[in-house]
Amino acid sequence: MANQGSDFTSIIGWLLLPQLAANYLLKITHWILQRIAPRLVPHPNTSQYTQHRRIAYVVVIISYLLYTLWATEQALGANFYHVLGLRPDSFNASQLRRNFRRLSLILHPDKNPEGEQQFILVQNAYKVLADPLARFVYNHAGEGAVKCQACKSINDYMLASIPSRLASYGAYILGSVAMQVFRIGKYGTYWRYVAIGTFAALDLAMMTSTTDPLAIRILLWLAPHRTSFEIAQILRQTMVCCFIALNQIGPQFIPHEKNVSTVALAKELLKKTRTTNVEILGKAVRLASFYKDTGLLPHMTESFEDEMKLGMTIGTSRKFCDEYTDRLNTERDKIKAE
């Protein structure tokens, strides 16, 4: 339950913190630039300002992703190996007994009344690690699986842990389906399902094999103080965080049409249209003066007005003016030649 609460808190953090943090980061960055290089500070509502905000947002997302992964590793706390001062990759029975006796003497309630809880933890850790069967189950299925009272063999322990292990993947799948139904998190949908299936297969391989999969062994080499089960937990949280981060960053670089502000586009288009109108009007006046005595003026006035509207509609007014001028020049040359 604690792990589920941690996942829920992480998701809430992903939904609320990045936007707020990105705004503050952008303000701080612009405040610093204003004092050392004012020309680098863009005006709001410009493309450069939008680019700055996009960069700030990506920096916040990546930073929060790294922090979440670090917090996930820290939240696992000390495992039984750490309690007894051992490492899973260099474990041996003699060192286990030696460390247990030393810690038992130090933490015994008769000598250290305040260390009673720690003393009980040391006793439980030794009980699990001293038993090869319990140690294997602890490494591959966690402390909760070891508590199975009716289990007598590795198969019993692993079968008993399957429902709780696979339930999390069922929750991931239901969550992904819900996101599709409500059109949330559209980026990386296919790879999300691939990742869920891959991690489920990895977990299943851990529960059904006496040796760890290659990916787990590589990560155990990078984090030798963790067990296989803890590495799998970190990987699952990494999967969730990476896809949340992808759906946060994705719209910044591949904006969906619904994410684009219609009002903002309309204002920008209106501004450009007004500028283009002035340019076209000036061009038309100059053309009218230039072709005044050629006999083309009535035709030019009528067709220019119609085609100007068409040119503005498709956003090529400036190019249209140049093409129209070239066409009139060609017609004038033909009249002179006649």
Side-chain angles (χ1 to χ4, degrees):
M1 293 297 292
N3 191 30
Q4 293 178 353
S6 177
D7 291 345
F8 179 75
T9 303
S10 176
I11 293 174
I12 293 299
W14 276 105
L15 293 176
L16 300 180
L17 292 179
Q19 289 283 358
L20 183 64
N23 289 337
Y24 277 109
L25 177 61
L26 186 62
K27 289 180 180 178
I28 293 173
T29 303
H30 283 173
W31 183 83
I32 295 174
L33 288 177
Q34 188 67 42
R35 281 151 181 77
I36 59 177
R39 290 183 297 178
L40 297 180
V41 180
H43 192 275
N45 301 323
T46 62
S47 59
Q48 189 177 4
Y49 184 89
T50 303
Q51 182 70 12
H52 281 204
R53 194 181 187 288
R54 183 181 295 120
I55 294 173
Y57 192 78
V58 172
V59 169
V60 168
I61 290 295
I62 294 176
S63 301
Y64 192 62
L65 172 62
L66 296 176
Y67 165 76
T68 303
L69 298 180
W70 174 83
T72 299
E73 198 277 337
Q74 294 296 309
L76 294 175
N79 56 33
F80 285 168
Y81 292 96
H82 186 267
V83 169
L84 293 173
L86 303 170
R87 280 178 46 161
D89 62 334
S90 59
F91 174 86
N92 63 76
S94 60
Q95 186 181 13
L96 171 63
R97 289 191 295 269
R98 185 167 58 252
N99 288 8
F100 170 68
R101 290 172 186 152
R102 177 175 57 83
L103 291 172
S104 295
L105 291 174
I106 296 174
L107 298 172
H108 197 280
D110 294 340
K111 294 183 178 181
N112 187 4
E114 297 180 356
E116 182 177 357
Q117 294 298 323
Q118 191 69 16
F119 178 78
I120 295 174
L121 179 60
V122 169
Q123 296 288 324
N124 292 336
Y126 177 76
K127 181 180 178 181
V128 170
L129 298 184
D131 181 357
L133 175 59
R135 183 171 69 249
F136 179 86
V137 174
Y138 177 77
N139 289 343
H140 291 79
E143 183 180 358
V146 180
K147 296 178 180 180
C148 177
Q149 299 295 327
C151 299
K152 303 298 182 183
S153 65
I154 291 179
N155 289 338
D156 293 339
Y157 281 107
M158 292 304 175
L159 287 174
S161 66
I162 285 179
S164 60
R165 296 281 288 272
L166 297 185
S168 59
Y169 293 104
Y172 294 151
I173 293 175
L174 290 176
S176 296
V177 172
M179 290 173 68
Q180 284 187 274
V181 171
F182 293 102
R183 300 183 179 276
I184 302 172
K186 296 184 177 181
Y187 297 88
T189 301
Y190 168 77
W191 293 108
R192 185 161 58 241
Y193 287 108
V194 171
I196 292 173
T198 301
F199 282 108
L202 189 67
D203 250 353
L204 189 61
M206 288 176 57
M207 291 185 286
T208 57
S209 175
T210 56
T211 58
D212 292 320
L214 178 60
I216 297 295
R217 292 202 299 271
I218 293 174
L219 293 174
L220 284 173
W221 179 76
L222 296 174
H225 61 292
R226 291 299 178 188
T227 65
S228 302
F229 177 72
E230 291 173 323
I231 292 295
Q233 284 184 297
I234 295 174
L235 284 176
R236 284 195 297 270
Q237 187 66 23
T238 301
M239 175 189 70
V240 174
C241 291
C242 284
F243 280 112
I244 295 176
L246 175 64
N247 281 279
Q248 295 277 4
I249 294 177
Q252 302 298 320
F253 294 97
I254 314 175
H256 190 266
E257 59 181 0
K258 290 186 178 181
N259 294 331
V260 179
S261 173
T262 305
V263 175
L265 286 178
K267 288 182 178 179
E268 183 178 357
L269 180 61
L270 181 61
K271 181 179 179 180
K272 290 183 177 180
T273 302
R274 287 173 178 173
T275 303
T276 307
N277 278 341
V278 173
E279 294 176 351
I280 291 178
L281 182 60
K283 190 77 172 179
V285 171
R286 290 194 295 273
L287 286 173
S289 175
F290 187 74
Y291 294 105
K292 184 176 182 180
D293 300 324
T294 61
L296 291 172
L297 184 59
H299 168 72
M300 183 203 73
T301 304
E302 180 181 355
S303 62
F304 187 85
E305 181 179 358
D306 295 337
E307 295 189 40
M308 178 187 68
K309 293 178 181 179
L310 177 61
M312 288 177 57
T313 302
I314 62 176
T316 56
S317 304
R318 188 174 300 171
K319 181 180 178 182
F320 165 75
C321 285
D322 296 334
E323 293 176 352
Y324 193 82
T325 301
D326 293 338
R327 190 163 70 250
L328 287 178
N329 285 333
T330 302
E331 292 182 9
R332 186 187 64 172
D333 294 338
K334 287 182 180 180
I335 292 177
K336 288 183 178 181
E338 293 175 356

